[in-house]
Amino acid sequence: MLWYDEPAEDWETESLPVGNGSLGATVFGGVPTERLALNHKTLWTGGPGSIQGYDHGDGDTPRPEALRRVRSRIDAVHRISPEEVVDLLGRPRRGFGAYQPLGALLVDLPAPAPITDYRRELALAEATAGVRYRCAGVGYRREYLASHPHEVIAGRVSADRPGAVSGRLRLESPHGGTATIAGDRLTLRGALADNGLRWEVQIRVLVEGGSLTTGPDASFVITEADRLVFLIAAGTDYSDDHPRYRGEDPHIRVTETVNRAMAAGYDAIRAEHLDDHRGLFDRVRLDLGRSDSTKPTDVLLAEYTGGGSAQDRALEVLFFSYGRYLLIASSRHGPLPANLQGMWNASTQPAWSCDYHLNINLQMNYWPALTTNLAETLDPYDRFVTALQAPGSHTARQIHAARGWVVHNETNPYGFTGVHDWATAFWFPEAAAWLSLQLHERYLFTRDEYRLRTVAYPIMRAASEFWLDALHVDPRDGTLVVSPSYSPEHGGFSAGAAMSQQIVAALFAATSAAATLLADDTDLPARLADARDGLDSGIRVGSWGQLQEWKADWDDPADDHRHVSHLFAVYPGPGLAPESPEAAAASVSLRARGAGETGWSKAWRINLWARLCDGDRAHAALIDQLRHSTLPNLWDTHPPFQIDGNLGATSGVAELLVQSHGDVIEVLPALPSAWPTGSVSGLRARGDLTVDIEWTRGVPSRVVLHAGRTGPVRVGVGRFASETAVTDATGKPIASEHLGDVVIIPMRAGESYLITETSATTR
């Protein structure tokens, strides 16, 4: 529960979000005027029809010759400035657009006397926001929820005295529009001035025990009601169909949606909403030996030290759970994944267009989806990446003269796969490979071969085909390298920067494994094998013991840049063996880079230190994020607010407790010393496994593995205090094989297996 004893005044730092994946609101809880800031994830300027013109960032003529000139220059001098490269390869961005606020619902509820007993809250397990207070002897309650099953935002205002709810309800939008009222229905519709995108929002209002009349300026007036209920539906004519990106006028769809909701009624909507949300949220429970705080959340945050208090543990658990809540709320269905702010935005000119940055931010949004048991939230991500393939194929030909598909540093809902002209953030063709790898991760966790064959593999194969054409022979040593290569937002352009090579290597390995599994009988597996043999690995230990960011040893030990791109292989890549020289070098690099300047970079560090099995440093990064990069409403800040830091931190906590990127399921691989006692249930591991853990004094005491597939599973048991035994759910011993710190358990789908301590004689 997030809760506060005052209304919100500032949208970014104080308002509380609800969302059903496409339609969202943030609650201010004001008295006498309530404000719900509304968003619909498809309301974007730019794209086809934009007054600025639009070409997906590709330009009008092919440009492979410009690319060859850059490569030749790098071959000759090895490192050139971003400005030199952007002069040759960049171009002004036209019609890119920005994510737009839909508007706001305003509910005036006069308060003739002082307000007492005020409370504003967000219940994560129920996905309901609420406000309650007393005024003139009357207790008032408001409740808001964003229903995924009914695709509406529903609100209810009630009082403990009959006839005490009176006020006015109205809509506003920064995009103008035409408002009309017919009966209990308020409609506001219009089209964006930039691109003509049509949008519509409808509200139907029900009052019990009072009257509903029409007021001035297309508003409703509620008089002496016992209860007020409103239902909001919205939509646009956006479609993810390339190249038009337009569908049907939203009017019929919005009308039918709000009508169905009205027919169901608030109580039924609420009941179905709770069942739907809890079906996802309740899968994972984390307990760090804390008790719920009696203090408002902003006070809890202000007093947080990261020390040993139950209050600090309560905030850490709340922050973890909030990340899962935010992902559920911003990524359930529809064509668009969570953007830089999930789905909540109050500005017509948001920072970075509130877009999809692909050099880590969109990917980080989905890091917790699989480990924290929310695979369904990946559906919009999968659909979005699939929709990028068509425009990305044109960009691959136009800029790179290559087959397959590509996308660069950032994109929008309209298939912007080309480039722009911001020198330090315009070039990142590795993005398509990274996006494809996360599609493959879903298979590794779920073992859903049908989805691998029909969704992930076609995208992975095309991304690999691009790199088979785009790799360049490095004249220094004859290896295959990415050129030009740019370590995101840092340094100069060169050939074979570490992140570039690590991503391509991981893509080729994943695509080869999928091709073998799916029996791809084309020549692709052989071509991938040849390319992998000649590919520069991107993993080198440098002169001061660091993992090099570039192929040449250019790293500066005093550099504390927020990006640590050369550690991709550590996380979210396939990982480095914890005791290896390369892992030690990664630790040297990470220590040198410091805490990170921004919220998302601190979240990345939590995951990196977890993979390096240093729980205390990971916890220190979490402490720093909570103390210095978290707003009173617990949104992460860059600044400004970016949701990736929330979601990356949630992922990091999961990595501290369970890891499965190797061939062994590791339990408590990086438990912080500040968490000596606790439990977690419902985390997921690769191989279609669900993991529950209890621990005391820093070591596991009980581990339960729930198998989704039949076959042997290797589990690390070295962190138990003594030897272990394996039983089934009834307590019957399982004939498992112990090999040092690893136990191999023959599992059957649908069965559960318990690992506990035992003595050598009883084992």
Side-chain angles (χ1 to χ4, degrees), residues 167-185:
R168 181 171 173 243
L169 182 149
R170 63 195 193 278
L171 275 172
E172 65 179 22
S173 173
H175 309 294
T178 301
T180 57
I181 287 182
D184 62 10
R185 186 190 313 267

Side-chain angles (χ1 to χ4, degrees), residues 155-223:
R156 179 179 63 189
V157 180
S158 60
D160 61 9
R161 179 183 298 172
V165 178
S166 295
R168 181 171 173 243
L169 182 149
R170 63 195 193 278
L171 275 172
E172 65 179 22
S173 173
H175 309 294
T178 301
T180 57
I181 287 182
D184 62 10
R185 186 190 313 267
L186 169 57
T187 301
L188 181 63
R189 61 181 276 120
L192 296 181
D194 168 71
N195 59 7
L197 187 79
R198 291 175 289 185
W199 57 270
E200 181 166 326
V201 56
Q202 290 188 27
I203 299 181
R204 291 194 65 181
V205 180
L206 172 69
V207 296
E208 298 177 5
S211 65
L212 179 70
T213 58
T214 301
D217 301 322
S219 64
F220 283 121
V221 175
I222 301 96
T223 305

Side-chain angles (χ1 to χ4, degrees), residues 12 21 105 128 192 272 349 357 369 475 494 520 526 594 606 666 710 752:
E12 180 182 14
L105 171 67
T128 58
L192 296 181
E272 291 183 52
Q349 296 181 311
H357 269 53
S494 63
D520 186 336
I606 301 170
E666 297 289 356
T710 297
S752 297

Side-chain angles (χ1 to χ4, degrees), residues 122-139:
L122 177 64
L124 303 184
E126 297 184 352
T128 58
V131 178
R132 64 176 185 258
Y133 58 91
R134 297 194 66 80
C135 178
V138 179

Side-chain angles (χ1 to χ4, degrees), residues 725-726 734-738 743-746:
V726 181
I734 298 295
S736 54
E737 180 181 3
H738 286 73
V743 60
I744 304 174
I745 307 173

Side-chain angles (χ1 to χ4, degrees), residues 677-694:
T677 300
S679 66
V680 68
S681 62
L683 294 181
R684 293 280 287 167
R686 292 165 183 83
D688 197 7
L689 290 162
T690 305
V691 184
D692 306 337
I693 311 168
E694 296 175 12

Side-chain angles (χ1 to χ4, degrees), residues 36 99 129 210 212 215 243 269 312 345 362 529 618 654:
L36 270 64
Y99 182 46
L212 179 70
I269 291 171
D312 282 356
N345 165 44
L362 174 60

